[in-house]
Amino acid sequence: MEVFQELYQIKEAVWSELIKASHQKKHAWRTPIMGNLSDDRTRLRTIVLRKSNINGRSLRFYTDRRSAKWPAVKDAAIFSLLFWDPRKSWQVHAQGNPKILDAQTTDQIWSGLPVYSRSSYATLEAPGDNLLAAADGLPESFFDRKKADTEYARPNFGVFELVIDYFEFLQLSRNGHRRAKFSWHEKDWKGEWVVP
């Protein structure tokens, strides 16, 4: 694979792959690692990329509003994302602040989710709560329910977007590694080469 020689090529390639990842379930960047600092502890989790918007510099994610990350989302804390593609040997570390989507947009997304997708927000207890035995936390026969019978879980469903203002790119290659960092300045990305 050819190594990058121009900063603009990296910027275009990264956003192109992020767009693909939001639509292709088997894309390496579909499930990045997300991290934030909370109560003086680093919190890491794998999360599913749902939508990418180049013009808005945003990446969309769903979450259970009862989860440990939701208070940080509400407070617009800084979140980091780590994407790795082993086939291309590309790594991207991105940072941004979350923006909660409005109720109308969230309702539209929720209405399009099938029962199996709603199960992630339909547990009787909050994510992370203790259980007495191995279980998924869902009510009995959840997957046999009609869609209308899963509406009780709607208040648990949250949608947010990370507005990216910084990212680093690393390409590993036998022909020479490449590393660059990009910061958002007013109306465009400013890129700089850095030592890999």
Side-chain angles (χ1 to χ4, degrees):
M1 180 170 287
E2 186 177 337
V3 295
F4 287 102
Q5 302 297 333
E6 301 290 341
L7 290 167
Y8 79 88
Q9 294 173 322
I10 294 173
K11 179 183 70 171
E12 290 174 2
V14 166
W15 282 100
S16 174
E17 290 302 309
L18 289 171
I19 295 291
K20 290 177 192 173
S22 65
H23 299 293
Q24 298 173 2
K25 291 186 178 182
K26 294 187 178 183
H27 195 287
W29 288 1
R30 176 78 169 176
T31 52
I33 303 297
M34 175 180 279
N36 70 297
L37 191 63
S38 178
D39 299 325
D40 295 326
R41 293 176 58 194
T42 302
R43 308 277 182 169
L44 299 171
R45 77 278 291 163
T46 301
I47 194 159
V48 179
L49 176 61
R50 304 294 181 171
K51 184 176 181 181
S52 301
N53 180 336
I54 295 173
N55 295 329
R57 307 182 342 264
S58 63
L59 304 175
R60 181 178 293 177
F61 303 94
Y62 303 164
T63 191
D64 191 314
R65 293 165 55 105
R66 301 170 295 170
S67 71
K69 73 177 140 321
W70 191 252
V73 168
K74 288 196 318 187
D75 291 342
I78 294 174
F79 279 81
S80 291
L81 293 167
L82 184 64
F83 300 88
W84 168 248
D85 186 333
R87 189 176 53 83
K88 292 181 184 247
S89 294
W90 290 5
Q91 176 181 280
V92 170
H93 167 234
Q95 289 182 334
N97 295 94
K99 176 182 76 172
I100 297 172
L101 268 63
D102 61 81
Q104 182 179 357
T105 304
T106 303
D107 284 341
Q108 288 173 350
I109 295 168
W110 174 258
S111 68
L113 295 182
V115 170
Y116 71 85
S117 295
R118 291 179 174 202
S119 67
S120 297
Y121 317 99
T123 58
L124 298 176
E125 303 296 332
D129 283 357
N130 291 336
L131 294 170
L132 296 176
D136 59 14
L138 292 167
E140 283 201 33
S141 304
F142 179 84
F143 295 103
D144 296 330
R145 292 181 177 209
K146 293 181 176 155
K147 199 169 172 178
D149 295 330
T150 65
E151 284 298 319
Y152 75 90
R154 167 57 188 93
N156 302 334
F157 179 63
V159 182
F160 68 98
E161 294 180 341
L162 282 188
V163 179
I164 305 302
D165 54 21
Y166 176 84
F167 71 91
E168 286 189 22
F169 172 84
L170 174 66
Q171 177 185 27
L172 301 178
S173 172
R174 291 180 178 171
N175 298 320
H177 305 327
R178 293 291 185 267
R179 185 176 172 194
K181 59 184 180 180
F182 295 82
S183 300
W184 182 256
H185 289 278
E186 296 179 14
K187 296 183 179 181
D188 203 0
W189 290 102
K190 180 179 183 240
E192 298 177 283
W193 292 108
V194 292
V195 177

